[in-house]
Amino acid sequence: MEAQNTQLLVLDSSIRNWVLLPIVLFMFLFGILRHYATIALRTTRKNDKAKLEQAQTLARAQTVRTNANWIPHEAFLERKAFFNQPETGVLNKKIPANTLASMADPNNMVDMMKTNFATIVPNIVMWGWVSYFFSGFVIAKFPFPLTGRFRGMVQRGIELNSLDVSYVTSASMYFLILFGLRGLFSLVLGEANAADDAQLMQQQMMGPAAAMAGPGVDMGKLFEAERDNLELVTHESKLKEAETTLLNSSQ
Amino acid sequence: MLGEQPQASSDNVYAQDKIAHNENIIYKCRAFGAVVFGILAGVFGLTSLWGLLVYVISSIVISIFLFATLPKLSIDGLFTSWMSILTGGFVQGAMTYVLVWTLAYDIVYIFF
């Protein structure tokens, strides 16, 4: 029924050999290059010893607080004293105020810029390459029909209203390849291949405590809050009724 | 399955990184199926809805294979829900499928 609209358009095989396949190959290889460039540029961030110590102390206090009911009452009081005792408590230590904001830390800036470069620059380069050399002619045909709405998007630079919309130019192929290649990259490069994934993994390995202790977080305030929380815990040991629970369940 | 950082909910404890790893494997299976069936659909010259149908069929086939490989046919300790096997990576796989399908179809039928 669409036969009248769909005129058979045959493209020169040179377009396939010198445009379509090179674009796919180039973008594929560029993606792999980006993957390895990201790995090469990645720096293992050095942790500040004092900061890490504070973060671990905080995490420990939180663990004690959330699991308080699993230890006997005396044990809990001992731990609370360790953290909260005036003067000597670990959480009462004076922490020099963190005046450095996150932007002032040069390491952070460099890392951010590297990540941005690794993701944005390749896209700009490829997009420029594709649109500079291969715009203005049809390079492919989608095997599915599109409505006329898409004409301005997929046939940019071709002012032919009679041409079937499923014939597309290099710009729309670029986006299809860009999104479609992700699946292939996950097959070829393995897990966590994109730059942001790698970042995420790094953060996971460092642990939430270390991530929390990033610059710009005022540990003094956090310590104070944790001290209050610990003070407010109503301790009720679950071990007290352990024997009765056991005996009841075995009956 | 208790990892180093279990995320405690009320009664179930999951190691999120392990679950993510398993789901990534499902996504990989889907991507591989998308490539294979995309080439098939393109070479056989399927268009519009037939191509879509082939993707859905490939997805179902992969789901069946995944079900078959599960130890004792249960998701205990591997996934949080059955849906991750049925639909995990469906949309991302669809992008790969459309790309491979278009490429194979164009290479075979459009040029001369």
Side-chain angles (χ1 to χ4, degrees):
Chain A
M1 62 191 167
E2 264 184 74
Q4 305 98 304
N5 293 338
T6 325
Q7 70 273 56
L8 212 61
L9 193 68
V10 181
L11 307 178
D12 194 343
S13 60
S14 300
I15 292 182
R16 175 187 62 199
N17 295 343
W18 296 104
V19 179
L20 185 60
L21 294 182
I23 288 178
V24 176
L25 191 70
F26 184 73
M27 289 182 71
F28 181 68
L29 292 178
F30 217 110
I32 291 176
L33 180 70
R34 179 169 69 182
H35 171 69
Y36 287 111
T38 314
I39 291 178
L41 286 176
R42 191 187 304 155
T43 46
T44 48
R45 198 181 302 172
K46 281 202 191 88
N47 283 320
D48 187 9
K49 188 193 162 208
K51 233 177 247 165
L52 202 62
E53 206 177 297
Q54 289 159 11
Q56 299 286 2
T57 308
L58 198 64
R60 197 172 154 197
Q62 277 163 355
T63 316
V64 168
R65 177 162 53 84
T66 45
N67 300 317
N69 289 343
W70 295 105
I71 52 177
H73 191 60
E74 300 79 38
F76 175 70
L77 287 183
E78 268 171 25
R79 281 162 178 74
K80 195 160 122 180
F82 171 72
F83 286 117
N84 276 11
Q85 196 130 63
E87 309 293 317
T88 53
V90 187
L91 289 179
N92 275 324
K93 249 195 249 167
K94 280 274 174 288
I95 292 166
N98 194 352
T99 48
L100 286 178
S102 71
M103 293 304 284
D105 193 348
N107 273 337
N108 259 11
M109 286 281 279
V110 171
D111 272 6
M112 232 154 58
M113 266 166 59
K114 270 183 193 163
T115 325
N116 278 350
F117 273 130
T119 53
I120 292 171
V121 169
N123 282 347
I124 291 175
V125 168
M126 280 191 294
W127 172 248
W129 179 68
V130 166
S131 60
Y132 183 76
F133 285 104
F134 307 122
S135 61
F137 57 94
V138 164
I139 70 162
K141 178 184 190 284
F142 288 152
F144 44 86
L146 292 170
T147 53
R149 236 168 243 272
F150 290 97
R151 188 183 297 280
M153 195 172 74
V154 299
Q155 292 182 357
R156 178 161 297 172
I158 299 174
E159 312 298 335
L160 273 178
N161 275 330
S162 55
L163 186 62
D164 187 18
V165 187
S166 53
Y167 287 98
V168 297
T169 56
S170 57
S172 35
M173 263 327 264
Y174 170 80
F175 283 110
L176 180 61
I177 295 167
L178 189 69
F179 293 122
L181 277 182
R182 279 183 197 166
L184 279 184
F185 285 142
S186 81
L187 283 177
V188 174
L189 300 175
E191 278 176 65
N193 49 59
D196 45 357
D197 288 348
Q199 202 82 6
L200 199 76
M201 209 169 71
Q202 197 182 8
Q203 219 169 47
Q204 276 174 352
M205 274 176 348
M206 277 158 62
M212 207 168 65
V217 180
D218 191 359
M219 289 307 278
K221 283 228 178 71
L222 288 176
F223 270 25
E224 212 179 294
E226 187 55 39
R227 214 159 58 212
D228 292 345
N229 284 338
L230 208 55
E231 209 60 58
L232 287 173
V233 169
T234 48
H235 187 260
E236 200 175 320
S237 180
K238 288 189 182 179
L239 301 179
K240 255 194 243 161
E241 309 116 39
E243 300 94 330
T244 40
T245 314
L246 180 69
L247 290 176
N248 283 342
S249 66
S250 62
Q251 273 172 7
Chain B
M1 283 302 292
L2 284 176
E4 55 274 15
Q5 287 168 25
Q7 204 182 57
S9 58
S10 54
D11 52 343
N12 287 325
V13 179
Y14 295 114
Q16 290 297 331
D17 49 338
K18 308 278 196 300
I19 298 274
H21 174 79
N22 289 346
E23 277 167 1
N24 197 280
I25 285 172
I26 285 188
Y27 171 46
K28 274 189 194 171
C29 292
R30 269 269 177 225
F32 183 71
V35 171
V36 171
F37 281 84
I39 290 173
L40 270 180
V43 168
F44 283 108
L46 304 179
T47 53
S48 61
L49 282 179
W50 288 108
L52 194 74
L53 194 70
V54 166
Y55 180 61
V56 174
I57 290 171
S58 86
S59 187
I60 292 170
V61 167
I62 288 163
S63 293
I64 290 171
F65 275 117
L66 284 170
F67 276 130
T69 52
L70 285 178
K72 287 184 247 154
L73 294 180
S74 98
I75 59 164
D76 284 349
L78 293 173
F79 300 101
T80 47
S81 81
W82 288 100
M83 289 310 282
S84 57
I85 291 180
L86 284 174
T87 60
F90 189 83
V91 178
Q92 298 101 310
M95 296 303 294
T96 306
Y97 175 77
V98 169
L99 172 70
V100 177
W101 176 30
T102 306
L103 281 181
Y105 178 80
D106 284 2
I107 287 168
V108 176
Y109 290 99
I110 294 301
F111 301 99
F112 91 110

